Amino acid sequence: MGVDKFRTQDIYKDAGKSVNFTTLLLNRKDQGAEKEVIQDMADRIQAIKRSVTIRSNGASLGIAMGFSRNAWDYLFPGAKVPKELEDFTGIKGDKQDVPAVAADIFLHVRSNDESVTYTVVDQIMGFLRPITTVVDETHGFHYEQGRAIIDFIDGTENPVDEEAVEWGVIGEEDPDFINGSYAFAQKYEHDLDAWRALPTEMQEKFIGRRKFSDIELEDDEKDPAAHNILAQDNRDGVEHKIVRMNVPFAEPGKGIRGTYFIGYARYWDVTKTMLTNMFEGNDKLLDYSKPITGQLFFIPSLDTLDAIAEDEL
Ligand code: HEM
């Protein structure tokens, strides 16, 4: 059978101009009633997407929705579990740790029109609001030329096309959950004043690329703890990848400037290895970045969403 890239949710990179990341906790008051709402939503979410896409006239709407391990066990007890879906409890770092924040449901909605993004999240939340509380809601935006808020172009080394499918989508290694994906969502706040006070050449050594042109530095020009050295997962001579779709968020009035990191992966272990390398190796970017949240979610395929809707898991 093999992977079918049309049966996945929207896990390929199209960061969008207006992005909404919402993480929710189920109220855990009435399992049966809450499961019914989730089944209903699994049924409706593609219809919401089709309908809003018709109305939005080319706003490139993308939706991914997922469940944490805790939510999976609560909603679908007795069902099979995606092989790598674990309750993320954090990673011990050297200077700082990767925090874990409990969450059940993850929503990642983006488009090129803020009213479209809003409409979709509001329609989905119309179903979910009565059975959930919000852990975090972050509104991301497209910053100059697709740059990260630290002013470097973000996403250049992302896999694209067939390679994005190869590294972003679960395959035959877990046939029950083929075409799903593992999303790791993590919000960072930056000390942008300190970052901006660095000379450009030093920032470039820390990221491993030129700031204006985005040309990669030679290895001997990079800081040994450069972000693009430590964030890699090279095993057995093979560069293991994930599909990143980070966007900036900000509340400039309060001095809050951050990056919402989102990585979609065929293998959660790859994202986890990248995080471990960064936090154990004191990635230079982390001296200017504080992780605030972190949780792993399974993004079911469209077929698994159908099975949830039909109570067939
Ligand atoms: C603190 C927030 C982060 C920011 C602002 C950020 C920004 C960047 C930038 C500007 C690049 C260089 C261009 C590119 O190839 O995309 C990059 C590369 C990369 N980042 Fe991040 N990143 C962040 C967090 C993370 C995290 C948490 C991971 C992994 C879990 C990660 C994984 C990667 C990978 C795999 C690369 C490509 C390395 C290569 O092959 O050259 N990043 N990031």
Side-chain angles (χ1 to χ4, degrees):
M1 206 178 67
V3 167
D4 180 349
K5 65 182 177 190
F6 297 112
R7 297 304 292 163
T8 70
Q9 293 193 58
D10 297 325
I11 59 107
Y12 308 114
K13 182 163 177 166
D14 59 343
K17 289 189 173 153
S18 159
V19 191
N20 182 303
F21 295 100
T22 298
T23 47
L24 304 162
L25 274 173
L26 289 158
N27 290 341
R28 285 180 163 68
K29 286 191 181 136
D30 181 341
Q31 195 269 357
E34 289 166 33
K35 185 175 174 183
E36 256 179 52
V37 173
I38 296 294
Q39 289 173 322
D40 191 26
M41 195 203 46
D43 191 29
R44 289 174 186 271
I45 203 158
Q46 294 307 311
I48 291 176
K49 185 179 166 194
R50 288 191 300 273
S51 171
V52 177
T53 296
I54 292 167
R55 288 178 273 166
S56 73
N57 196 14
S60 299
L61 170 63
I63 308 177
M65 190 271 294
F67 302 99
S68 68
R69 174 64 192 257
N70 282 344
W72 194 266
D73 290 346
Y74 174 71
L75 289 168
F76 316 117
K80 288 185 180 161
V81 180
K83 272 188 186 161
E84 290 189 86
L85 183 59
E86 63 170 341
D87 175 30
F88 179 72
T89 52
I91 296 173
K92 197 104 202 76
D94 187 30
K95 285 192 200 153
Q96 33 178 357
D97 299 335
V98 191
V101 170
D104 287 319
I105 293 171
F106 171 66
L107 274 178
H108 174 194
V109 178
R110 69 277 185 186
S111 77
N112 291 329
D113 179 342
E114 192 167 356
S115 82
V116 168
T117 304
Y118 154 73
T119 301
V120 169
V121 178
D122 196 48
Q123 290 195 349
I124 294 173
M125 286 307 301
F127 297 100
L128 295 183
R129 228 174 268 123
I131 60 154
T132 56
T133 52
V134 176
V135 178
D136 180 69
E137 178 172 358
T138 299
H139 295 202
F141 59 94
H142 178 85
Y143 179 55
E144 313 217 2
Q145 306 171 315
R147 290 176 187 270
I149 206 155
I150 56 163
D151 291 320
F152 282 74
I153 301 287
D154 198 354
T156 307
E157 294 298 335
N158 249 333
V160 293
D161 301 329
E162 289 311 309
E163 230 198 341
V165 178
E166 183 190 340
W167 289 109
V169 182
I170 296 170
E172 299 287 0
E173 66 279 3
D174 194 358
D176 292 310
F177 296 104
I178 194 164
N179 299 322
S181 187
Y182 293 100
F184 184 69
Q186 188 174 48
K187 199 170 162 171
Y188 289 84
E189 284 181 17
H190 300 294
D191 183 347
L192 218 51
D193 295 338
W195 175 255
R196 285 183 178 152
L198 295 174
T200 298
E201 290 71 22
M202 194 172 283
Q203 293 180 345
E204 292 179 336
K205 284 179 179 302
F206 290 174
I207 296 299
R209 309 189 75 92
R210 293 279 172 227
K211 192 172 181 179
F212 181 74
S213 67
D214 192 31
I215 297 293
E216 186 171 2
L217 301 190
E218 297 298 337
D219 280 351
D220 61 359
E221 294 176 302
K222 297 178 186 174
D223 188 285
H227 179 55
N228 76 345
I229 294 179
L230 287 181
Q232 291 201 19
D233 174 10
N234 293 316
R235 281 182 245 184
D236 314 319
V238 179
E239 198 179 328
H240 289 52
K241 301 192 174 193
I242 61 174
V243 177
R244 292 170 287 130
M245 244 189 279
N246 307 351
V247 280
F249 66 89
E251 292 178 59
K254 295 180 191 154
I256 296 173
R257 280 84 45 99
T259 299
Y260 201 103
F261 171 83
I262 171 73
Y264 290 100
R266 173 177 184 175
Y267 307 106
W268 156 232
D269 190 47
V270 174
T271 317
K272 202 174 172 179
T273 302
M274 290 173 173
L275 282 167
T276 308
N277 292 345
M278 284 172 63
F279 280 78
E280 283 183 354
N282 288 318
D283 185 325
K284 284 290 179 188
L285 178 58
L286 295 177
D287 288 346
Y288 306 88
S289 315
K290 184 174 157 36
I292 315 281
T293 64
Q295 192 48 258
L296 170 69
F297 301 92
F298 170 64
I299 310 294
S301 68
L302 300 186
D303 300 298
T304 306
L305 284 182
D306 286 348
I308 291 171
E310 300 297 323
D311 202 14
E312 283 168 359
L313 266 196

